[in-house]
Amino acid sequence: QSDPASQRLTWNKPPKSVLVIKKIRDASLLQPFKELCIFLTEVKNMIVYVEKKVLEDPAISDENFGAITKKFCVFREDLDDISNRVDFIICLGGDGTLLYASSLFQESVPPVMAFHLGSLGFLTPFKFDTYQSQVTQIIEGNAAIVLRSRLKVRVLKETWEKKARVDEKGLILTNGDVESSRKAMQYQVLNEVVVDRGPSSYLSNVDLFLDGHLITTVQGDGVIVSTPTGSTAYAVAAGASMIHPNVPAIMITPICPHSLSFRPIVVPAGVELKIMLSRDARNTAWVSFDGRKRQEICHGDSITITTSCFPLPSICFRDPVNDWFESLAECLHWNVRKKQNYLSSEDEEF
């Protein structure tokens, strides 16, 4: 019986458009980026989407490539919605490039093919040397994919404003009373949500709720709530276990807890987590989402975390299991040890 999280890539109709994401300000990626874009437009006759700030790099604009760039569809982050225009995504860079690709799609994400051209490369299984044959296989639908779960994060911020009224002469009058209003923001997170103490020297002091029940108060540098994909990122550095991306789960990992017994825990993917400042917290906390959108969390604010309905389909080099263990060995040197010598029969006598 096949794992429901492991799928084969199949196209209802041949893909026509591709989003190419390149790590910004990295000169070593200019040549691979140009080669790939020429191959996609000239050989495969595909519509190529590229971010505006990528093409603003002066090093890109040479005479030969300039004619190709005129065929691109250019978009800007936070301004243009390309969610229904792209058939699949190609990333050139490291793991951060894949995280950035995830942030561009707040709902359904096209399949992502990630080439390892960065520093770590845990989430980028493809080598660029044979990109033409590999891209051709993807266009033909010959590949395995793993559905990497994401977190849906809702931040509710409470703001206080002075009550005011306008008198007959048009003057704004206040009597010192204040009224509260709430502002909600939502994010899709591939790796982790990190709540930490920020610039304060005090311990962070936040309450952690699971399905409405207070399960613990985190007193330390902070807490990491991660997906299985994120378990090999910040979480593993903080002492967590590594979870295969096919496992439906959410991991909760304290950061330097002031306790000898606070171990990382794994909870079912279907729960709702809520994080709030404790009533007696001495300072505010700070939150970030895959290392971005960092903001302050004050008393009355809340962070609600559930498993998203929109996973990221990551295209595998071979298959989900082999790719994951290959990354553990290559990137994190998991269980690397000098082999024990063989014991001969003569040695056993002693």
Side-chain angles (χ1 to χ4, degrees), residues 2-22:
S2 62
D3 188 333
S6 298
Q7 308 283 338
R8 297 294 301 182
L9 179 64
T10 54
W11 302 108
N12 292 327
K13 56 183 179 179
K16 295 287 180 68
S17 58
V18 57
L19 166 61
V20 179
I21 297 179
K22 171 191 161 296

Side-chain angles (χ1 to χ4, degrees), residues 30 33-35 37-38 55 60-70 72:
L30 287 175
F33 172 73
K34 290 178 180 180
E35 285 183 28
C37 289
I38 291 170
L55 297 181
I60 277 185
S61 56
D62 59 50
E63 291 183 9
N64 296 330
F65 194 64
I68 300 292
T69 59
K70 292 176 182 177
F72 293 165

Side-chain angles (χ1 to χ4, degrees), residues 274-347:
K274 184 187 256 187
I275 299 173
M276 299 181 72
L277 269 185
S278 297
R279 185 176 297 177
D280 52 354
R282 296 184 180 184
N283 57 295
T284 61
W286 288 75
V287 63
S288 60
F289 315 93
D290 284 341
R292 307 179 80 217
K293 310 288 186 183
R294 188 166 169 80
Q295 55 196 267
E296 191 173 18
I297 298 298
C298 304
H299 285 283
D301 300 345
S302 65
I303 305 164
T304 304
I305 304 169
T306 56
T307 297
S308 171
C309 297
F310 303 104
L312 183 141
S314 180
I315 300 173
C316 301
F317 177 66
R318 284 189 290 177
D319 61 75
V321 173
N322 276 300
D323 282 12
W324 194 67
F325 280 102
E326 187 77 20
S327 291
L328 288 183
E330 290 291 322
C331 302
L332 299 182
H333 302 294
W334 177 62
N335 196 27
V336 173
R337 182 193 185 277
K338 186 178 179 181
K339 290 284 187 182
Q340 189 178 49
N341 290 333
Y342 170 72
L343 193 64
S344 67
S345 56
E346 295 178 357
D347 292 332

Side-chain angles (χ1 to χ4, degrees), residues 7-247:
Q7 308 283 338
R8 297 294 301 182
L9 179 64
T10 54
W11 302 108
N12 292 327
K13 56 183 179 179
K16 295 287 180 68
S17 58
V18 57
L19 166 61
V20 179
I21 297 179
K22 171 191 161 296
K23 186 178 178 182
I24 305 295
R25 294 184 296 276
D26 190 335
S28 67
L29 296 182
L30 287 175
Q31 192 56 37
F33 172 73
K34 290 178 180 180
E35 285 183 28
L36 176 64
C37 289
I38 291 170
F39 174 72
L40 291 169
T41 53
E42 300 296 299
V43 180
K44 294 299 180 181
N45 296 315
M46 299 200 73
I47 301 168
V48 175
Y49 283 80
V50 177
E51 200 167 5
K52 188 174 187 292
K53 61 186 178 184
V54 171
L55 297 181
E56 287 172 349
D57 187 340
I60 277 185
S61 56
D62 59 50
E63 291 183 9
N64 296 330
F65 194 64
I68 300 292
T69 59
K70 292 176 182 177
K71 300 180 181 179
F72 293 165
C73 292
V74 180
F75 75 98
R76 293 161 295 175
E77 183 191 9
D78 297 332
L79 288 175
D80 301 315
D81 182 13
I82 58 168
S83 54
N84 295 319
R85 303 182 194 173
V86 175
D87 291 324
F88 71 104
I89 303 169
I90 297 178
C91 291
L92 302 177
D95 293 348
T97 314
L98 182 64
L99 294 175
Y100 177 68
S102 170
S103 73
L104 294 175
F105 297 86
Q106 292 302 299
E107 291 187 352
S108 180
V109 189
V112 182
M113 181 183 195
F115 284 96
H116 175 31
L117 291 164
S119 51
L120 185 62
F122 197 92
L123 306 177
T124 53
F126 289 92
K127 303 290 188 292
F128 195 76
D129 302 343
T130 54
Y131 75 92
Q132 294 188 359
S133 61
Q134 291 172 341
V135 170
T136 300
Q137 281 194 331
I138 302 310
I139 292 172
E140 292 172 355
N142 183 20
I145 61 173
V146 57
L147 297 178
R148 296 185 180 275
S149 65
R150 298 197 292 174
L151 300 174
K152 183 175 80 171
V153 187
R154 189 167 183 262
V155 179
L156 205 59
K157 306 199 85 163
E158 197 164 32
T159 57
W160 297 87
E161 296 177 352
K162 287 186 177 180
K163 282 185 177 179
R165 65 181 178 84
V166 181
D167 69 0
E168 297 172 353
K169 297 179 180 180
L171 296 175
I172 299 174
L173 305 175
T174 64
N175 58 3
D177 292 341
V178 293
E179 60 182 356
S180 67
S181 60
R182 295 202 159 190
K183 179 184 176 185
M185 293 159 288
Q186 192 165 294
Y187 306 94
Q188 294 284 336
V189 174
L190 179 60
N191 259 2
E192 74 274 297
V193 180
V194 177
V195 179
D196 60 60
R197 59 189 174 91
S200 172
S201 57
Y202 290 115
L203 291 172
S204 74
N205 201 335
V206 296
D207 292 334
L208 181 62
F209 298 84
L210 191 149
D211 288 339
H213 303 286
L214 177 65
I215 56 170
T216 193
T217 297
V218 181
Q219 296 181 95
D221 279 354
V223 64
I224 305 164
V225 179
S226 57
T227 62
T229 295
S231 70
T232 49
Y234 193 175
V236 78
S241 294
M242 296 178 289
I243 306 175
H244 189 277
N246 278 4
V247 178

